[in-house]
Amino acid sequence: MDLREKKTLRAIHNAFLELRGQKPLERIRVKELVELAEISKGTFYLHYKDIYDLSEKLQKEVVENVMNEIKHPDAILNNKSLFTQELSNAFLANINMINILFADYQNSVLPYQIEKNIREKLKHYQADFEADPFKNVSITYQVYGGYFAFQNHYKQMGTEKVIDSISRISGKLADIQ
């Protein structure tokens, strides 16, 4: 990718993030995005099918970034507290993009994608986990519960207190296993 294309994509992404920070995804129009990015509609359509395609690609990047922060995905099965800390820290490292790209009705997309990725990685560590109902429910509970608990409380309570609380809850979950 040459420098000009990188600048164009950066302009598109920045314009989209600015607009997405102000309004729901379904209210963003290509016309306003290209005006803000100072590009033509044709240039936009060279890179993306529509606004939703752009949003999905940016969301995919965030999911990849979050997954890269989770060094021990198998810990979700055997060290729930460690997994919770890594997951929470991954959310924290990407919090600005998460708050913009996964706002409104998009809020369940991130935990869904994280869970899906975790399950794929777990197949390499412990192939039989899929047959265990407790492990399956536990995985969903930890990812969704950890995400929504973090999102709902980190601003009021501070990240350290929230991460500690979620980790303690995860530890208790491990005790009942």
Side-chain angles (χ1 to χ4, degrees), residues 103-132:
D104 308 320
Y105 71 91
Q106 295 285 306
N107 69 345
S108 64
V109 172
L110 181 62
Y112 172 80
Q113 290 298 327
I114 298 297
E115 180 184 16
K116 183 176 162 185
N117 278 274
I118 292 291
R119 288 180 182 281
E120 281 301 310
K121 289 184 182 268
L122 287 178
K123 288 178 184 178
H124 300 288
Y125 296 104
Q126 192 176 23
D128 67 336
F129 81 91
E130 293 179 297
D132 185 332

Side-chain angles (χ1 to χ4, degrees), residues 26-89:
E26 65 274 5
R27 295 200 51 224
I28 298 173
R29 302 289 173 248
V30 171
K31 182 179 189 242
E32 68 183 324
L33 186 139
V34 299
E35 287 173 4
L36 187 59
E38 297 179 339
I39 61 167
S40 70
K41 275 188 174 183
T43 300
F44 175 84
Y45 288 115
L46 280 175
H47 299 283
Y48 303 101
K49 291 185 286 187
D50 54 28
I51 291 293
Y52 297 97
D53 182 42
L54 168 58
S55 181
E56 286 174 21
K57 287 179 178 168
L58 291 174
Q59 286 178 340
K60 185 178 178 184
E61 285 180 26
V62 172
V63 169
E64 288 172 9
N65 290 342
V66 168
M67 290 305 300
N68 288 336
E69 295 282 331
I70 300 171
K71 304 299 181 208
H72 305 94
D74 59 317
I76 198 168
L77 296 175
N78 54 32
N79 189 342
K80 292 175 182 359
S81 185
L82 172 63
F83 175 79
T84 299
Q85 289 177 332
E86 288 186 357
L87 181 64
S88 297
N89 286 327

Side-chain angles (χ1 to χ4, degrees), residues 120-154:
E120 281 301 310
K121 289 184 182 268
L122 287 178
K123 288 178 184 178
H124 300 288
Y125 296 104
Q126 192 176 23
D128 67 336
F129 81 91
E130 293 179 297
D132 185 332
F134 184 85
K135 287 181 181 174
N136 276 279
V137 171
S138 176
I139 290 166
T140 301
Y141 181 82
Q142 279 193 264
V143 173
Y144 280 80
Y147 174 69
F148 287 111
F150 183 84
Q151 279 292 84
N152 289 339
H153 299 287
Y154 82 95

